[in-house]
């Protein structure tokens, strides 16, 4: 037996289908230029002029003094790409891990530099530092005054070690290159985070990007 739908019902269904088929409202888009995107993030920075010196060239750089709730120990020159990733890293990995494991947010990120016109440690190619595309971070100072040091706390079983392992793993999902105390002697006291061409995560756990 065939059931005939009432004309009113057919019209209502047609309207419903038309509503489903209409395109969704446009999503709010982030600006296309990295510098314009930085302006929408919770961070303090100033654009820096491009320059070349001693065979090293820095382009699209900014000088950053704060990411979210964490100040940098001193303002740091870095590429916009690195600044953007650090901003996300602070909000998504660093502060949540600090709150969860150490019960205090990170107030100061003590870094050992970003720009340095030099070759890679033990290599002949130029370091990402030569483009201000890398940062070395040694100590995380908490709002309660306590400090977490890569040198003292990477190897161990305490909360501070767990915190460093947690953010190290997070870093490997964000940055192109991650080095630390497991990598070589040159990195015994800091995390090296860069936005270079090559993807590597030389810490002693599985690269989360390769699972
Ligand atoms: Zn480095």
């Amino acid at each position: 037996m065939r059931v005939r739908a009432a004309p009113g019902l057919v019209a209502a269904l047609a309207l419903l289908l038309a509503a489903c088929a209409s395109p969704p409202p446009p999503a709010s888009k982030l600006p296309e230029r990295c510098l314009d995107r930085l302006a929408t993030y919770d961070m303090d920075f100033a654009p820096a002029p491009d320059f070349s010196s001693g065979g090293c060239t820095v382009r699209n750089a900014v000088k950053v003094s704060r990411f979210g709730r964490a100040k940098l120990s001193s303002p740091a020159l870095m590429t916009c790409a690195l600044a953007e990733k650090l901003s996300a890293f602070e909000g998504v990995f660093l502060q949540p891990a600090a709150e969860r494991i150490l019960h205090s947010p990170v107030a100061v990120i003590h870094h050992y530099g970003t720009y340095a016109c030099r070759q890679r440690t033990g290599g002949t190619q130029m370091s990402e530092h030569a483009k201000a595309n890398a940062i070395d971070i040694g100590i995380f100072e908490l709002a309660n005054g306590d400090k977490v040091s890569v040198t003292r706390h990477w190897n161990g079983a305490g909360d501070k070690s767990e915190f460093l392992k947690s953010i190290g793993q997070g870093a490997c999902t964000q940055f192109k290159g991650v080095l630390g105390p497991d990598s070589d002697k040159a990195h015994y006291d800091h995390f090296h985070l860069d936005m270079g061409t090559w993807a590597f995560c030389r810490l002693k756990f599985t690269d989360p990007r390769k699972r």
Side-chain angles (χ1 to χ4, degrees):
M1 185 178 117
R2 290 180 68 190
V3 178
R4 293 188 62 178
L9 184 60
V10 171
L13 277 171
L15 271 174
L16 193 64
L17 283 171
C20 290
S22 62
S28 60
K29 273 175 64 178
L30 274 173
E32 285 182 13
R33 281 183 72 229
C34 181
L35 274 177
D36 293 337
R37 291 197 298 276
L38 288 200
T40 71
Y41 303 154
D42 180 20
M43 56 186 284
D44 291 334
F45 75 98
D50 295 351
F51 69 90
S52 292
S53 172
C56 297
T57 298
V58 173
R59 287 200 185 94
N60 300 318
V62 290
K63 202 156 203 179
V64 182
S65 56
R66 179 183 65 85
F67 290 109
R69 285 183 286 173
K71 288 182 191 165
L72 293 182
S73 50
S74 61
L77 181 76
M78 65 186 77
T79 57
C80 190
L82 180 63
E84 184 165 35
K85 282 292 179 185
L86 281 165
S87 172
F89 175 71
E90 191 268 348
V92 175
F93 293 100
L94 186 69
Q95 299 297 5
E99 299 269 20
R100 187 178 76 251
I101 300 166
L102 303 172
H103 313 295
S104 178
V106 172
V108 185
I109 296 170
H110 291 264
H111 70 92
Y112 300 153
T114 49
Y115 172 69
C117 188
R118 63 169 172 80
Q119 294 177 332
R120 278 188 211 160
T121 312
T124 53
Q125 290 177 301
M126 293 307 282
S127 162
E128 288 302 318
H129 286 288
K131 294 184 265 184
N133 204 24
I135 187 169
D136 294 336
I137 297 175
I139 292 170
F140 299 90
E141 184 177 338
L142 307 180
N144 66 12
D146 211 357
K147 287 183 180 175
V148 184
S149 145
V150 173
T151 312
R152 292 176 52 208
H153 302 114
W154 176 255
N155 293 304
D159 286 350
K160 291 178 179 176
S161 171
E162 185 187 340
F163 165 74
L164 289 177
K165 297 291 189 327
S166 174
I167 63 168
Q169 200 141 18
C172 284
T173 69
Q174 291 290 296
F175 300 94
K176 282 292 192 69
V178 178
L179 301 170
D182 298 336
S183 313
D184 54 46
K185 284 181 186 166
H187 296 90
Y188 78 98
D189 64 347
H190 66 272
F191 288 135
H192 162 103
L193 311 173
D194 76 48
M195 285 304 288
T197 309
W198 307 107
F200 53 86
C201 168
R202 296 202 187 112
L203 302 177
K204 269 188 191 157
F205 40 71
T206 309
D207 187 339
R209 291 169 301 201
K210 292 178 181 164
R211 281 180 192 162

